[in-house]
Amino acid sequence: MEPEPYFPTPSSSLTRWWSEDTVAVVTGGNKGIGFEVVKQLAELGLNVVLTARDTKKGEAALEALRAQGHAANVHFLLLDVCDPLSISTFASTFRAIFGATLDILVNNAGVSFNELDENSVEHAETVMKTNFYGPKMLIEALYPLFRCSPSITRILNVSSRLGSINKMRNAEMKSVLERENLLEEEIEGMANMFLRDVKNRTWESQGWPSYWTEYAVSKLALNAYSRVLAKRYSCNGSISNLSVNCFCPGFTQTSMTKGKGVHTADHVASIIASLVLLPPHQLPTGKFFSIESKKKKKISTTLINVSSKL
């Protein structure tokens, strides 16, 4: 499928469907892209829950935002997406404070231990736990807390083009991932197979992605899971009450890239904010959004069908 035109950023010309009662959760919100997303959603008037796995860092981020005038509508809750108990506690705490009122979930927390020109699988288990199993467990824990309302609730998983299906060199596994009726169990089976191959030191010969391998596989699993979820909550091709999409921020200046990149965290966050605040009648599901750099460094954002491009 050819890229489709990108939707406009939120402005006064668009239908403002959200209010001060709209609640968004942003994981990994203490720095980088996550921090900027929290800031921009707060500036637009939403109630935003900033999460971090470190209490001191989370509280420092909260204080920084409060110093900028966001004292009333930004909240910090501890969350380590690698820890099932932490996820359970977070969900319980959220329910106690806000009730079943979640409107937006931005799964931004993620890790990579590779330098830009390196490829190691030394931390494969941690990367898979953080980038795939963590968001998956969090979605499952928070799903009962999504608000029942005419406004479509939405999940945006921050992912990567490195997790595209065409990066998979294992023809058999690639065929499974391309199936229209892909199952959640098959995605978990792929993730477990990768970790076994890493443990057995056979991952190179088994056809896994060749660049940033552990990170690429984790995002491949996340993209596939997002597609399964989008299909699950769609009915006869129409969007149900939950939209699930992915977004690749591209080469962005964050701690993961040691400050290198062609996009700023602020710019990327503005795109994320625009995606999660699309009016219900414009909001798709099962899509993969990305930023593409064109000639003369002109930035173009495109909408790509997740089933054909991931």
Side-chain angles (χ1 to χ4, degrees), residues 81 87 105 107 128-143 157 184-185 187-188 221-222 225-226 229 232:
V81 298
I87 290 175
L105 171 61
N107 273 314
M128 291 299 293
K129 282 183 177 180
T130 306
N131 297 354
F132 169 54
Y133 288 109
K136 181 178 181 297
M137 288 189 296
L138 184 61
I139 290 171
E140 291 170 350
L142 293 183
Y143 180 72
N157 293 320
E184 185 177 322
E185 292 80 6
I187 301 170
E188 292 187 344
L222 180 63
Y225 177 64
S226 300
L229 280 186
R232 179 182 302 167

Short mmCIF file of all heavy atoms in Angstrom, two decimals, residues 81 87 105 107 128-143 157 184-185 187-188 221-222 225-226 229 232:
data_model
loop_
_atom_site.label_atom_id
_atom_site.label_comp_id
_atom_site.label_asym_id
_atom_site.label_seq_id
_atom_site.Cartn_x
_atom_site.Cartn_y
_atom_site.Cartn_z
N VAL A 81 7.48 -1.31 33.60
CA VAL A 81 6.75 -2.19 32.68
C VAL A 81 7.37 -3.58 32.59
O VAL A 81 6.74 -4.50 32.02
CB VAL A 81 6.65 -1.57 31.26
CG1 VAL A 81 5.87 -0.26 31.30
CG2 VAL A 81 8.04 -1.37 30.64
N ILE A 87 3.04 -3.44 37.39
CA ILE A 87 1.92 -3.16 36.48
C ILE A 87 0.59 -3.32 37.20
O ILE A 87 -0.31 -2.48 37.08
CB ILE A 87 1.99 -4.08 35.24
CG1 ILE A 87 3.19 -3.69 34.37
CG2 ILE A 87 0.69 -4.02 34.44
CD1 ILE A 87 3.42 -4.62 33.19
N LEU A 105 -3.66 5.79 25.99
CA LEU A 105 -2.45 5.15 26.50
C LEU A 105 -1.36 5.29 25.46
O LEU A 105 -1.51 4.82 24.32
CB LEU A 105 -2.70 3.67 26.80
CG LEU A 105 -1.45 2.83 27.14
CD1 LEU A 105 -0.76 3.36 28.39
CD2 LEU A 105 -1.82 1.36 27.31
N ASN A 107 2.24 4.02 24.92
CA ASN A 107 3.30 3.11 25.36
C ASN A 107 4.62 3.59 24.78
O ASN A 107 5.02 3.21 23.67
CB ASN A 107 2.99 1.68 24.91
CG ASN A 107 2.12 0.94 25.89
OD1 ASN A 107 2.36 0.97 27.09
ND2 ASN A 107 1.10 0.26 25.38
N MET A 128 13.30 -7.53 25.38
CA MET A 128 12.00 -8.12 25.05
C MET A 128 10.99 -7.84 26.15
O MET A 128 9.82 -7.53 25.87
CB MET A 128 12.15 -9.63 24.84
CG MET A 128 12.93 -10.02 23.59
SD MET A 128 12.18 -9.46 22.06
CE MET A 128 10.67 -10.42 22.02
N LYS A 129 11.41 -7.93 27.40
CA LYS A 129 10.50 -7.65 28.52
C LYS A 129 10.01 -6.21 28.49
O LYS A 129 8.83 -5.93 28.73
CB LYS A 129 11.20 -7.92 29.86
CG LYS A 129 11.32 -9.38 30.24
CD LYS A 129 11.97 -9.51 31.61
CE LYS A 129 12.03 -10.96 32.06
NZ LYS A 129 12.67 -11.10 33.40
N THR A 130 10.91 -5.28 28.20
CA THR A 130 10.57 -3.86 28.23
C THR A 130 9.77 -3.43 27.01
O THR A 130 8.78 -2.69 27.13
CB THR A 130 11.84 -3.01 28.33
OG1 THR A 130 12.63 -3.45 29.44
CG2 THR A 130 11.50 -1.54 28.50
N ASN A 131 10.20 -3.86 25.84
CA ASN A 131 9.63 -3.34 24.59
C ASN A 131 8.43 -4.10 24.07
O ASN A 131 7.63 -3.55 23.29
CB ASN A 131 10.70 -3.31 23.50
CG ASN A 131 11.85 -2.38 23.83
OD1 ASN A 131 11.81 -1.66 24.83
ND2 ASN A 131 12.89 -2.40 23.01
N PHE A 132 8.28 -5.35 24.46
CA PHE A 132 7.13 -6.15 23.99
C PHE A 132 6.25 -6.64 25.12
O PHE A 132 5.08 -6.26 25.22
CB PHE A 132 7.61 -7.33 23.15
CG PHE A 132 6.51 -8.33 22.86
CD1 PHE A 132 5.31 -7.93 22.27
CD2 PHE A 132 6.65 -9.67 23.21
CE1 PHE A 132 4.29 -8.86 22.02
CE2 PHE A 132 5.65 -10.59 22.96
CZ PHE A 132 4.46 -10.18 22.37
N TYR A 133 6.79 -7.47 26.00
CA TYR A 133 5.96 -8.05 27.05
C TYR A 133 5.41 -6.97 27.98
O TYR A 133 4.27 -7.06 28.44
CB TYR A 133 6.75 -9.08 27.85
CG TYR A 133 7.02 -10.37 27.10
CD1 TYR A 133 8.31 -10.69 26.67
CD2 TYR A 133 5.98 -11.24 26.81
CE1 TYR A 133 8.55 -11.86 25.97
CE2 TYR A 133 6.22 -12.42 26.11
CZ TYR A 133 7.50 -12.73 25.69
OH TYR A 133 7.74 -13.88 24.99
N GLY A 134 6.20 -5.93 28.25
CA GLY A 134 5.74 -4.87 29.13
C GLY A 134 4.51 -4.15 28.61
O GLY A 134 3.48 -4.08 29.29
N PRO A 135 4.57 -3.58 27.39
CA PRO A 135 3.37 -2.95 26.83
C PRO A 135 2.18 -3.90 26.74
O PRO A 135 1.04 -3.50 26.98
CB PRO A 135 3.84 -2.51 25.43
CG PRO A 135 5.30 -2.32 25.58
CD PRO A 135 5.75 -3.38 26.54
N LYS A 136 2.45 -5.15 26.39
CA LYS A 136 1.37 -6.13 26.28
C LYS A 136 0.69 -6.35 27.64
O LYS A 136 -0.55 -6.32 27.74
CB LYS A 136 1.93 -7.45 25.76
CG LYS A 136 0.88 -8.56 25.57
CD LYS A 136 1.55 -9.80 24.99
CE LYS A 136 0.53 -10.91 24.78
NZ LYS A 136 -0.08 -11.38 26.03
N MET A 137 1.48 -6.56 28.69
CA MET A 137 0.91 -6.77 30.02
C MET A 137 0.17 -5.52 30.50
O MET A 137 -0.88 -5.62 31.14
CB MET A 137 2.00 -7.15 31.01
CG MET A 137 2.56 -8.54 30.83
SD MET A 137 3.68 -9.05 32.19
CE MET A 137 5.02 -7.86 31.99
N LEU A 138 0.71 -4.35 30.18
CA LEU A 138 0.09 -3.11 30.62
C LEU A 138 -1.26 -2.91 29.93
O LEU A 138 -2.25 -2.52 30.57
CB LEU A 138 1.01 -1.93 30.33
CG LEU A 138 0.50 -0.57 30.82
CD1 LEU A 138 0.32 -0.58 32.34
CD2 LEU A 138 1.45 0.54 30.40
N ILE A 139 -1.32 -3.18 28.65
CA ILE A 139 -2.59 -3.06 27.92
C ILE A 139 -3.63 -4.00 28.51
O ILE A 139 -4.79 -3.62 28.71
CB ILE A 139 -2.37 -3.35 26.42
CG1 ILE A 139 -1.58 -2.22 25.76
CG2 ILE A 139 -3.72 -3.53 25.70
CD1 ILE A 139 -1.14 -2.51 24.35
N GLU A 140 -3.21 -5.22 28.79
CA GLU A 140 -4.14 -6.19 29.36
C GLU A 140 -4.64 -5.74 30.74
O GLU A 140 -5.82 -5.92 31.07
CB GLU A 140 -3.46 -7.56 29.47
CG GLU A 140 -3.18 -8.20 28.11
CD GLU A 140 -2.29 -9.42 28.21
OE1 GLU A 140 -1.72 -9.66 29.30
OE2 GLU A 140 -2.13 -10.14 27.19
N ALA A 141 -3.76 -5.14 31.53
CA ALA A 141 -4.13 -4.70 32.88
C ALA A 141 -5.03 -3.47 32.84
O ALA A 141 -5.93 -3.32 33.69
CB ALA A 141 -2.88 -4.40 33.70
N LEU A 142 -4.81 -2.60 31.86
CA LEU A 142 -5.55 -1.33 31.81
C LEU A 142 -6.81 -1.40 30.96
O LEU A 142 -7.66 -0.49 31.05
CB LEU A 142 -4.64 -0.22 31.27
CG LEU A 142 -3.47 0.20 32.15
CD1 LEU A 142 -2.71 1.36 31.51
CD2 LEU A 142 -3.93 0.58 33.56
N TYR A 143 -6.96 -2.44 30.17
CA TYR A 143 -8.12 -2.49 29.28
C TYR A 143 -9.45 -2.31 30.02
O TYR A 143 -10.32 -1.56 29.56
CB TYR A 143 -8.14 -3.80 28.47
CG TYR A 143 -9.34 -3.87 27.55
CD1 TYR A 143 -9.41 -3.08 26.42
CD2 TYR A 143 -10.42 -4.71 27.85
CE1 TYR A 143 -10.52 -3.12 25.59
CE2 TYR A 143 -11.53 -4.74 27.03
CZ TYR A 143 -11.57 -3.95 25.90
OH TYR A 143 -12.67 -3.98 25.08
N ASN A 157 1.32 2.76 20.35
CA ASN A 157 2.55 2.09 20.74
C ASN A 157 3.72 2.70 19.98
O ASN A 157 3.76 2.65 18.74
CB ASN A 157 2.46 0.59 20.44
CG ASN A 157 1.43 -0.10 21.31
OD1 ASN A 157 1.31 0.19 22.50
ND2 ASN A 157 0.69 -1.04 20.74
N GLU A 184 -2.17 -14.20 18.70
CA GLU A 184 -1.34 -13.68 19.77
C GLU A 184 -0.34 -14.74 20.24
O GLU A 184 0.83 -14.43 20.53
CB GLU A 184 -2.24 -13.24 20.92
CG GLU A 184 -1.55 -12.57 22.07
CD GLU A 184 -2.53 -12.10 23.12
OE1 GLU A 184 -3.64 -11.62 22.77
OE2 GLU A 184 -2.19 -12.20 24.31
N GLU A 185 -0.80 -15.99 20.31
CA GLU A 185 0.07 -17.07 20.76
C GLU A 185 1.25 -17.28 19.81
O GLU A 185 2.35 -17.65 20.23
CB GLU A 185 -0.73 -18.37 20.87
CG GLU A 185 -1.78 -18.38 21.96
CD GLU A 185 -3.06 -17.64 21.56
OE1 GLU A 185 -3.18 -17.22 20.39
OE2 GLU A 185 -3.94 -17.49 22.43
N ILE A 187 2.74 -14.91 18.09
CA ILE A 187 3.68 -13.82 18.34
C ILE A 187 4.54 -14.14 19.55
O ILE A 187 5.76 -13.98 19.54
CB ILE A 187 2.94 -12.49 18.54
CG1 ILE A 187 2.09 -12.16 17.32
CG2 ILE A 187 3.93 -11.36 18.81
CD1 ILE A 187 1.13 -11.01 17.53
N GLU A 188 3.91 -14.62 20.61
CA GLU A 188 4.66 -15.00 21.81
C GLU A 188 5.59 -16.18 21.50
O GLU A 188 6.71 -16.24 22.04
CB GLU A 188 3.70 -15.36 22.93
CG GLU A 188 2.92 -14.16 23.47
CD GLU A 188 2.10 -14.51 24.70
OE1 GLU A 188 1.90 -15.71 24.96
OE2 GLU A 188 1.68 -13.58 25.40
N ALA A 221 7.63 -7.85 17.34
CA ALA A 221 6.59 -8.48 18.15
C ALA A 221 5.52 -7.45 18.55
O ALA A 221 4.32 -7.74 18.51
CB ALA A 221 7.20 -9.13 19.38
N LEU A 222 5.95 -6.25 18.94
CA LEU A 222 5.01 -5.21 19.35
C LEU A 222 4.13 -4.79 18.18
O LEU A 222 2.91 -4.61 18.34
CB LEU A 222 5.77 -4.00 19.89
CG LEU A 222 4.91 -2.82 20.36
CD1 LEU A 222 4.01 -3.22 21.53
CD2 LEU A 222 5.80 -1.64 20.74
N TYR A 225 1.61 -7.57 17.51
CA TYR A 225 0.59 -7.60 18.57
C TYR A 225 -0.39 -6.44 18.39
O TYR A 225 -1.61 -6.61 18.59
CB TYR A 225 1.28 -7.50 19.93
CG TYR A 225 0.32 -7.44 21.10
CD1 TYR A 225 -0.53 -8.51 21.39
CD2 TYR A 225 0.27 -6.32 21.93
CE1 TYR A 225 -1.40 -8.46 22.47
CE2 TYR A 225 -0.59 -6.26 23.01
CZ TYR A 225 -1.43 -7.33 23.27
OH TYR A 225 -2.31 -7.27 24.33
N SER A 226 0.10 -5.30 17.98
CA SER A 226 -0.78 -4.15 17.75
C SER A 226 -1.77 -4.45 16.63
O SER A 226 -2.95 -4.08 16.71
CB SER A 226 0.06 -2.91 17.38
OG SER A 226 0.96 -2.58 18.41
N LEU A 229 -4.44 -6.76 18.03
CA LEU A 229 -5.37 -6.02 18.88
C LEU A 229 -6.33 -5.18 18.05
O LEU A 229 -7.53 -5.12 18.33
CB LEU A 229 -4.61 -5.11 19.84
CG LEU A 229 -4.01 -5.71 21.10
CD1 LEU A 229 -3.43 -4.58 21.96
CD2 LEU A 229 -5.04 -6.49 21.90
N ARG A 232 -8.90 -7.32 16.63
CA ARG A 232 -9.79 -7.86 17.66
C ARG A 232 -10.88 -6.86 18.03
O ARG A 232 -12.03 -7.24 18.26
CB ARG A 232 -8.97 -8.21 18.90
CG ARG A 232 -9.78 -8.75 20.07
CD ARG A 232 -8.88 -9.04 21.26
NE ARG A 232 -7.82 -9.98 20.92
CZ ARG A 232 -6.76 -10.22 21.69
NH1 ARG A 232 -6.62 -9.56 22.83
NH2 ARG A 232 -5.85 -11.09 21.33
#
